Amino acid sequence: MQYRPALSKMKPYVPGEQPPPGKFIKLNTNENPYPPPAPVVSAIQSAATGPLNRYPDPMATSFRRAAADALGLPGPEWVLAGNGSDEILTLLVRGFVGEGESLRLPYPSYILYRTLADIQGANWEQVPFNEPWELPQSFGENRDDLKLVLLPNPNSPSGTIVSKTQIAELSNSLNCPLVVDEAYADFAEENCLDLVQSDENIFVTRTLSKSYGLAGIRFGFLVAQPHVIAELTKIKDSYNCDAISIAAATAAMGCQDWLADVVAKMNVTRERMTDRLRALGFDVTPSHANFVWCRHPEGKHAEIHQYLKQSQILIRYMDFPDWGDGLRISVGTDDQIDACLLMIERAMQSLNFSLPARADST
């Protein structure tokens, strides 16, 4: 059987482990530990008893209007809905990067970007972050074959951000679109939505999987100037969002007070977790997302990960060639984080770490 050469050569993207519900404390895929707001659940129930024998609105018009209102955009024509932000990223790569052309991404960051280039038969260029997680000047350099630049902001796995000022400067230096992937932006102090309105080459992608607690419905969206949305609409699937996800996403946009409360609560938990990990001797990168990236001078990150997994707590062990390995831990409920921290300390004791004198059990 003959597959396209690009498919035969590519390595598949491997998502975080998804065990059966209820068996593990899941802190490995940056999901929201809290259930979605009541109006979203009601909207899902109503949609489930609706005319599911009919196709959904191909443009998710109700969501686009609600998103424009909630985010202060000029109108729904600035929004394109998708089956998770991963589909939006797929459309962007498909729409701007041809076979043999290139896209650019920082390293370490979201590895799916490379997979999307491979599917397209395109090239990808990784530009390593400088320490401490700063973009080098070369990230903004032009090349004739460079057609798209992807920048997760906040970044994963680090949780670090690039300032709006620097992003505007990057866009001015580039001759191609700059996609700011804001999957975690609700947990940060600023975002780039206003830059989209003043710069046609800046696009913002968002997801409802993180801050809105809707990873299970798969819904994301793009914010870009209307002529960009119109062109990308040509290549999306006819009915790329189903009726239930559209109803849930539309209702979620009307729950901004709930969103603010949950984000504030999770950010407090994030800072408490950061302080505790540092007390255990970890180097924790200051995070603007719903997770933290931590490394210990004594290493053994894979062993800690495995110890926690055997204790039915999932965190993410990540090893980046030419960069190093570490642990990414999602923000859970306070009880979940307390359990995780306790087991991390027990893992360190089992692995003969040199624990700080003041490391008290959580």
Side-chain angles (χ1 to χ4, degrees):
M1 186 174 294
Q2 189 71 33
Y3 295 98
R4 290 174 53 231
L7 179 61
S8 299
K9 293 177 182 177
M10 69 177 284
K11 295 180 180 179
Y13 171 74
V14 180
E17 187 174 355
Q18 296 290 340
K23 291 191 175 183
F24 284 82
I25 293 176
K26 277 192 84 276
L27 304 173
N28 64 325
T29 49
N30 302 337
E31 296 148 324
N32 193 321
Y34 300 102
V40 172
V41 177
S42 296
I44 291 172
Q45 292 170 337
S46 177
T49 59
L52 295 183
N53 58 315
R54 304 298 186 188
Y55 286 112
D57 176 1
M59 291 303 296
T61 305
S62 62
F63 168 78
R64 296 171 75 202
R65 288 173 176 162
D69 289 342
L71 301 176
L73 301 172
E77 67 275 10
W78 290 71
V79 179
L80 178 65
N83 182 9
S85 60
D86 286 354
E87 187 202 12
I88 295 297
L89 293 167
T90 300
L91 292 174
L92 288 165
V93 174
R94 189 188 302 169
F96 286 95
V97 190
E99 186 171 354
E101 296 177 331
S102 297
L103 63 79
R104 178 179 293 158
L105 62 144
Y107 180 79
S109 68
Y110 193 19
I111 298 172
L112 178 69
Y113 301 152
R114 305 188 319 199
T115 304
L116 297 179
D118 289 340
I119 293 171
Q120 191 78 348
N123 304 311
W124 46 265
E125 175 196 8
Q126 291 185 153
V127 178
F129 281 103
N130 293 329
E131 290 287 3
W133 297 97
E134 294 178 349
L135 285 178
Q137 186 174 357
S138 59
F139 194 78
E141 292 178 355
N142 281 302
R143 261 202 342 258
D144 289 343
D145 68 325
L146 182 65
K147 302 302 180 183
L148 194 67
V149 174
L150 298 168
L151 177 64
N153 200 51
N155 182 54
S156 177
S158 63
T160 51
I161 57 172
V162 177
S163 71
K164 284 172 56 176
T165 299
Q166 188 176 359
I167 288 172
E169 292 172 351
L170 273 173
S171 180
N172 288 334
S173 70
L174 292 166
N175 293 330
C176 67
L178 171 61
V179 178
V180 186
D181 183 354
E182 291 193 342
Y184 305 101
D186 285 325
F187 300 97
E189 293 75 25
E190 64 177 26
N191 61 66
C192 292
L193 290 177
D194 60 333
L195 295 182
V196 175
Q197 298 185 47
S198 59
D199 187 338
E200 67 174 359
N201 285 325
I202 294 179
F203 312 155
V204 165
T205 60
R206 291 282 184 95
T207 178
L208 273 68
S209 298
K210 314 300 182 184
S211 54
Y212 287 94
L214 290 172
I217 70 161
R218 309 305 305 130
F219 201 97
F221 60 99
L222 171 70
V223 178
Q225 294 198 5
H227 65 91
V228 176
I229 300 297
E231 287 298 301
L232 291 176
T233 298
K234 297 176 182 178
I235 57 174
K236 78 173 186 68
D237 290 344
S238 299
Y239 303 101
N240 60 331
C241 299
D242 64 75
I244 291 175
S245 68
I246 292 172
T250 303
M253 288 295 106
C255 298
Q256 295 302 304
D257 289 342
W258 175 93
L259 175 68
D261 288 343
V262 166
V263 166
K265 179 162 55 175
M266 292 178 67
N267 284 350
V268 169
T269 304
R270 180 188 68 200
E271 297 313 307
R272 187 172 67 85
M273 177 168 58
T274 297
D275 291 343
R276 179 66 188 143
L277 287 167
R278 286 174 176 161
L280 290 170
F282 283 89
D283 177 16
V284 186
T285 303
S287 176
H288 301 266
N290 66 330
F291 56 84
V292 299
W293 172 250
C294 59
R295 305 168 78 178
H296 197 282
E298 297 183 38
K300 304 180 185 177
H301 302 119
E303 291 91 337
I304 294 173
H305 168 265
Q306 189 61 31
Y307 187 99
L308 265 66
K309 184 174 180 179
Q310 291 172 353
S311 304
Q312 295 188 308
I313 299 175
L314 291 180
I315 60 176
R316 193 77 182 264
Y317 169 72
M318 308 181 88
D319 188 6
F320 297 96
D322 302 318
W323 186 268
D325 66 346
L327 300 172
R328 194 192 69 188
I329 308 174
S330 304
V331 176
T333 65
D334 286 328
D335 287 345
Q336 289 171 341
I337 294 304
D338 286 344
C340 177
L341 293 169
L342 174 61
M343 296 314 299
I344 287 175
E345 184 168 351
R346 289 183 179 175
M348 295 171 70
Q349 292 168 344
S350 175
L351 295 166
N352 298 315
F353 276 71
S354 301
L355 285 167
R358 292 192 174 184
D360 301 319
S361 294
T362 301

